[in-house]
Amino acid sequence: MEWGKVISLNTTPSIGSTPLDIEVDDFPPAKTERNLAEGIKSLYQTCQMYDLNLVVGKTSLPAHKVVLASMSTACCEQVRKAVAEFEQGREPREALQSTEQVKTGPEAEAVVPLQATGEALAASPPVYSNQWKPDSPSEGEKAPAPERVSPNKDTSQEKSRPSSRPELVLDIASPEAARALLDMVYGLGREYNITSDEANKDVLRLAKQLDIPSLQELATRYLGEQLSSENAVARLQTCQEFGLDEMYDAIVEEVVMTRDALQLVAANEE
């Protein structure tokens, strides 16, 4: 054997038939893709494809039918009812529009188009607000920017004209409670944005009517926060009204353990 001289082997060494594990330590970073929940949240925040209005008094809040219907069976039934009433309301308007068609024969002279009387029938509105297109501007005028419908926009001034979407009328008094519902449904932050006990009671009513336990839990926790001798009695009454026994016992225990608060509560005329 000579050093530095390459010598070829006549036979290939055997390594056996047992498979060997090969580990890759440095994986390329995985691409983060948006999931369904984030996509729905983005649609709501960018005011896209609304197809339902939540109505509280004169306030109208846009939303998505499928999102609300997925929360519970009771929610789904309420959405179905709102859609059915909307479709029934569209039928008379569509029948009225058919009278604009020109008739032939002896009755043609008796037909007066509505435009001649100064009354204009609006075309059947689109389902989605972002399907509206601005009219072509006349000479010397600038085209108006398309209006975006904000989730918190009060459309009370627009209630005189027919709605372009189904309307789910909520049996509550506080629009703030409806916004709290939408914040929870769409996952808009972790804070429970309610500013009064009355609005919180409306949230509890919504949770009962629509059978949404997670919404009821948020409203129940609120009763135990910022508790004082001034609101303790009213919140105990709320617990009794909505059957919140655990929170009722927790508030009573805190009041009893604080002697000064107990004296103030005991002296309360309520």
Side-chain angles (χ1 to χ4, degrees), residues 66-82:
V66 66
V67 177
L68 289 174
S70 66
M71 296 305 298
S72 69
T73 302
C75 261
C76 185
E77 290 300 322
Q78 292 293 331
V79 171
R80 287 180 183 272
K81 181 179 178 181

Side-chain angles (χ1 to χ4, degrees), residues 86-181:
F86 175 74
E87 294 297 333
Q88 290 177 0
R90 291 183 62 177
E91 291 178 0
R93 294 198 299 269
E94 293 174 355
L96 186 59
Q97 289 174 0
S98 64
T99 62
E100 292 184 307
Q101 299 177 356
V102 179
K103 296 182 180 180
T104 58
E107 299 179 357
E109 297 179 357
V111 176
V112 179
L114 292 180
Q115 288 84 348
T117 65
E119 299 179 1
L121 269 179
S124 199
V127 175
Y128 302 122
S129 61
N130 58 351
Q131 289 179 349
W132 284 106
K133 295 182 180 179
D135 297 330
S136 300
S138 58
E139 295 182 2
E141 294 183 356
K142 295 182 180 180
E147 181 182 359
R148 295 176 61 186
V149 181
S150 171
N152 294 328
K153 179 181 178 182
D154 188 342
T155 57
S156 58
Q157 301 298 327
E158 303 175 1
K159 297 299 290 181
S160 57
R161 63 184 181 184
S163 174
S164 60
R165 311 185 190 101
E167 293 186 333
L168 176 55
V169 180
L170 301 177
D171 187 19
I172 56 175
S174 172
E176 189 178 359
R179 294 191 181 99
L181 167 65

Side-chain angles (χ1 to χ4, degrees), residues 190-209:
R190 298 181 179 179
E191 296 183 0
Y192 179 61
N193 297 315
I194 288 294
T195 59
S196 69
D197 284 9
E198 288 301 319
N200 188 65
K201 290 177 68 174
D202 272 346
V203 174
L204 288 169
R205 293 187 182 97
L206 271 183
K208 290 285 187 180
Q209 294 168 8

